Amino acid sequence: MKKPTFLTAQWRKLIMANYLVDAKVLKKYIPPHTQLDSYNGKYYVSLIGFMFMDTRIKGFKIPFHINFEEINLRFYVKYNSGENQKRGAVFISEVVSKPMIALVANTLFHEHYEILKTKHSWERFEHHQKISYQLKKKQWYELSVSTGLEARKIISGSEEEFITEHYFGYTKAGKNKSLAYDVEHPRWEIYDVKDFTIKADFEDLYGADFGFLNHAEPSSVFLVEGSDVLIRDGKKI
């Protein structure tokens, strides 16, 4: 039986910058009872910026917490439920500017939200669009892309499919427990990126374990159009 709905929203214009990472870096972050998920034997972390829009918690809109940016760093795991393998994401950090969102997610879902200043811009031109997300910690950091105007279907078996097709979230919920929650959305379409900018101090944002990303080139960068999403209440595993 499916868990009750916790949150509904739109996730729109998701920039995904994906980096190869040594499995040893991620070992201490893996929630109990899950294991790293790989694509062709390779492991990834993704820097993602996007908009939450029309956000409702338990069916209610919270004033001033309806439309806002999120920038996160995540990696990928899978959980063998006994029936099938459930592929999901684990978040190293999630940044928003809305304190209630952070409080609820950190308290109920054991997530790692941080409250910082954020902003975004969506610009549409005759032949291209520019999407940008920014956050401020030590200084202002930026994740932005320029793409065409036509989205395409994701190719089966591709790296893009691996990155986007994770429909569960997992977090540590104690020494030997994890919390798992369903994330439901249709299969997404993506835009091919013509140009991108990543200005970030990963060590400042995510700690020394991820400082190597300051000198790394992403394996891929793409823009996802996004859709309505539904997140269900979590359950312990």
Side-chain angles (χ1 to χ4, degrees), residues 107-129:
T107 302
L108 298 183
F109 286 82
H110 304 273
E111 287 290 6
H112 309 97
Y113 272 85
E114 185 176 6
I115 304 165
L116 297 173
K117 290 182 178 180
T118 62
K119 59 185 179 180
H120 79 284
S121 66
W122 291 359
E123 297 178 281
R124 186 178 177 92
F125 304 96
E126 184 177 359
H127 299 297
H128 74 284
Q129 62 181 330

Side-chain angles (χ1 to χ4, degrees), residues 12-15 47-51 70-72 133 143:
R12 294 290 311 282
K13 304 293 186 186
L14 299 91
I15 301 175
L47 179 65
I48 299 175
F50 66 102
M51 284 297 296
E70 177 173 316
I71 297 95
N72 66 56
Y133 299 100
L143 174 62

Side-chain angles (χ1 to χ4, degrees), residues 77-124:
V77 298
K78 53 189 176 183
Y79 167 64
N80 190 343
S81 67
E83 301 171 354
N84 49 46
Q85 285 193 336
K86 296 181 176 180
R87 301 171 61 237
V90 178
F91 295 92
I92 301 297
S93 172
E94 297 149 283
V95 170
V96 293
S97 61
K98 304 300 183 183
M100 185 61 70
I101 296 296
L103 176 64
V104 170
N106 290 346
T107 302
L108 298 183
F109 286 82
H110 304 273
E111 287 290 6
H112 309 97
Y113 272 85
E114 185 176 6
I115 304 165
L116 297 173
K117 290 182 178 180
T118 62
K119 59 185 179 180
H120 79 284
S121 66
W122 291 359
E123 297 178 281
R124 186 178 177 92

Side-chain angles (χ1 to χ4, degrees), residues 71 86 105 124 131 188 193 213-214:
I71 297 95
K86 296 181 176 180
R124 186 178 177 92
I131 308 298
W188 283 331
V193 167
L213 294 174
N214 288 341

